[in-house]
Amino acid sequence: MTPLQLTHLAAGEKSAPVTDWAARIGWLVGLALFIALVYWLMREGWKWRGTLQGDLPELPTSPEEPGEVKLTMSGRYHGSTTAGQWLDRIVAHGLGTRSRVELTLTEAGLDVVRPGATDFFIPADALREALLGKGIAGKVLSEGGLLVVTWAHGDRLIDSGFRSDHAAEHTEWVDTLNCMINKSLETTDTEGAR
């Protein structure tokens, strides 16, 4: 091929101009509507779950005099579920909202402060168990990467999942919480025996 033929060949290989803009715009509008529909359905499902859990009482607030601070922790709150059912997320009263968290353990109980979400307090007599877990409703971590606190609220047992900014703190929290729970149970048993 001569250079002149190559020039004509290269000039002829340009793509054709797009002339069917209406079809392309229609596809984009259809895709945007589909995404909006999926988002709306997810939002309605979340609200429906909250309605089903409407029997859950209001969350307790921190007492005026919580007592001496035993432990503090900064990290993330990953959500709450029905105890023992790590996929049954509780969304009522903002318990389903993930957020940053500041935990403070005192003699009175566990104070859960969540910037941008509803704070709540778990009284010491409502605490049932603390353990190291690896997952809770939509969040799976390595083994022992999640501090799971089981507590009673109304007639339900709830598991709440927390992850510290320093995962090495989890073991100390589990030991301290379980020791506190056992002391509370011993006190209750002793008072009941009188």
Side-chain angles (χ1 to χ4, degrees):
M1 282 192 160
T2 65
L4 185 58
Q5 290 174 330
L6 286 175
T7 306
H8 286 292
L9 184 62
E13 291 185 7
K14 292 183 181 176
S15 62
V18 177
T19 56
D20 196 6
W21 284 104
R24 289 184 185 241
I25 291 172
W27 275 103
L28 288 175
V29 168
L31 181 61
L33 288 174
F34 176 74
I35 290 170
L37 174 67
V38 169
Y39 176 77
W40 179 79
L41 288 172
M42 288 171 49
R43 187 166 177 255
E44 289 300 308
W46 189 267
K47 287 176 15 182
W48 176 71
R49 181 175 280 272
T51 302
L52 289 178
Q53 297 166 348
D55 63 333
L56 193 68
E58 286 294 321
L59 298 172
T61 57
S62 184
E64 293 290 325
E65 295 295 325
E68 180 186 340
V69 174
K70 292 183 171 197
L71 288 174
T72 61
M73 177 174 85
S74 294
R76 298 220 31 103
Y77 169 78
H78 287 291
S80 292
T81 63
T82 302
Q85 299 177 14
W86 71 284
L87 291 176
D88 186 22
R89 182 187 299 266
I90 296 176
V91 301
H93 306 299
L95 287 175
T97 306
R98 290 185 181 166
S99 62
R100 291 286 303 160
V101 71
E102 296 290 329
L103 294 180
T104 305
L105 182 64
T106 65
E107 288 295 330
L110 181 62
D111 193 18
V112 182
V113 178
R114 303 185 305 151
T118 307
D119 299 341
F120 61 97
F121 182 77
I122 304 171
D125 60 349
L127 292 167
R128 296 296 182 258
E129 182 182 22
L131 55 90
L132 295 177
K134 66 177 183 177
I136 197 163
K139 186 66 175 180
V140 178
L141 301 163
S142 60
E143 189 67 44
L146 196 66
L147 170 65
V148 179
V149 177
T150 303
W151 54 290
H153 185 55
D155 60 350
R156 289 190 193 199
L157 280 180
I158 297 173
D159 285 342
S160 292
F162 307 94
R163 179 166 174 81
S164 173
D165 291 335
H166 308 285
E169 296 178 334
H170 289 172
T171 304
E172 181 182 10
W173 272 83
V174 168
D175 294 342
T176 305
L177 279 164
N178 285 329
C179 182
M180 191 171 154
I181 292 164
N182 290 337
K183 281 183 186 177
S184 175
L185 290 175
E186 289 171 7
T187 304
T188 305
D189 290 344
T190 305
E191 289 173 358
R194 290 183 192 171

